[in-house]
Amino acid sequence: MQRLQSEWARTPKTALLIITGVVILLSVMAIISKGQLPVPYPSALDSRHYWMRASGWYFANLLGLLVPLLSSLPVLVMESDVLASRRVIYVTYPMSSWTLFLLRIASCLSFSVGWMLVIEVIARIMRFSFPAGSDVLLVIPDILFITFAVLAAIEWTTDLWAGFVVIVLVAGVGLGVRNLPFPHPHRDELVLFAARDQLWSWPLLENRIVVALASLLIAGLAAWGFHWHRQRGSYQ
């Protein structure tokens, strides 16, 4: 725990704390979103069907879309040291062991998990009893996938802009493209953010497992990219 606290302490936090404030503000805005809305789709994040009300539907979108996309920001902040071929801020450098790698990734992911908890707490204050356990199960695979995809892109290219390109691709493709992997259970479309337009189902759970496993493979790819550049002497 002490080593984890040490790695978290070295994370640049100003920008991420500002984003935390934005997440809280957006969550509180649900309080004024009362009444009924013509909801275009259900959400597995809201199994009690609060999505038929404006506030519940809004909270489900915050959890299922905004938090996963925001999960790219901590790794972008912590990887910004690759500019000018220098490693200064240390998400992965120097990475002497897998333990250290996991500690640094955990400190990076702590903000994403914190944002989920903030939304859950505010939802409960508003008397929306969302099932927190299933919410985490559904959203964490997306958070891991985006975080590691951005990390791998930056580690292999040593270019921060590659991370932004990945975010744009994920944001566009993740909402659904036909004839690609991770299909929606009811439509032949790729869906990364699978919870947003369906209820709980076994195909949805299979989707989450596949995305989680893909995230682990991408995490290994990110670590390999770092070692490859380190062996080549790419960093000053």
Side-chain angles (χ1 to χ4, degrees):
M1 181 59 68
Q2 185 175 359
R3 291 186 66 187
L4 178 58
Q5 291 174 347
S6 175
E7 296 304 326
W8 191 83
R10 72 169 79 213
T11 307
K13 301 181 185 64
T14 302
L16 299 177
L17 290 176
I18 292 174
I19 298 300
T20 302
V22 172
V23 169
I24 294 173
L25 178 62
L26 291 174
S27 300
V28 171
M29 284 176 60
I31 296 174
I32 61 176
S33 300
K34 298 179 180 179
Q36 301 291 325
L37 278 180
V39 179
Y41 51 81
S43 175
L45 292 167
D46 187 7
S47 61
R48 300 192 185 190
H49 307 296
Y50 287 122
W51 57 268
M52 297 183 69
R53 296 173 54 185
S55 296
W57 182 79
Y58 187 64
F59 273 118
N61 277 277
L62 283 174
L63 281 172
L65 286 175
L66 186 64
V67 170
L69 288 174
L70 286 178
S71 67
S72 61
L73 297 181
V75 73
L76 281 173
V77 169
M78 296 173 74
E79 283 280 86
S80 61
D81 64 313
V82 301
L83 297 175
S85 299
R86 296 179 181 273
R87 304 314 308 254
V88 179
I89 300 178
Y90 317 122
V91 170
T92 57
Y93 181 78
M95 188 175 67
S96 57
S97 69
W98 277 104
T99 301
L100 186 56
F101 175 76
L102 293 174
L103 285 172
R104 289 175 177 171
I105 292 301
S107 66
C108 186
L109 291 173
S110 63
F111 280 93
S112 302
V113 175
W115 293 330
M116 286 188 65
L117 295 177
V118 163
I119 294 172
E120 290 281 357
V121 167
I122 294 178
R124 289 182 183 277
I125 291 174
M126 293 183 60
R127 298 180 182 177
F128 291 109
S129 36
F130 293 165
S134 60
D135 287 352
V136 171
L137 181 64
L138 289 173
V139 178
I140 283 293
D142 293 338
I143 290 175
L144 295 177
F145 186 92
I146 294 172
T147 297
F148 291 135
V150 172
L151 179 64
I154 297 173
E155 288 294 342
W156 275 101
T157 63
T158 66
D159 187 348
L160 200 65
W161 286 104
F164 286 102
V165 171
V166 169
I167 297 170
V168 172
L169 290 176
V170 167
V173 176
L175 294 176
V177 175
R178 289 188 178 278
N179 302 315
L180 289 176
F182 311 138
H184 187 284
H186 306 299
R187 301 196 309 269
D188 184 23
E189 293 183 356
L190 178 152
V191 178
L192 179 63
F193 307 106
R196 68 184 292 270
D197 55 358
Q198 62 177 306
L199 298 177
W200 260 99
S201 64
W202 280 110
L204 172 61
L205 187 58
E206 292 171 0
N207 176 289
R208 301 292 80 194
I209 292 172
V210 170
V211 171
L213 292 176
S215 302
L216 296 178
L217 292 175
I218 296 173
L221 183 64
W224 181 25
F226 167 79
H227 278 298
W228 187 74
H229 280 294
R230 190 179 187 188
Q231 291 173 355
R232 292 183 67 223
S234 301
Y235 306 127
Q236 297 180 17

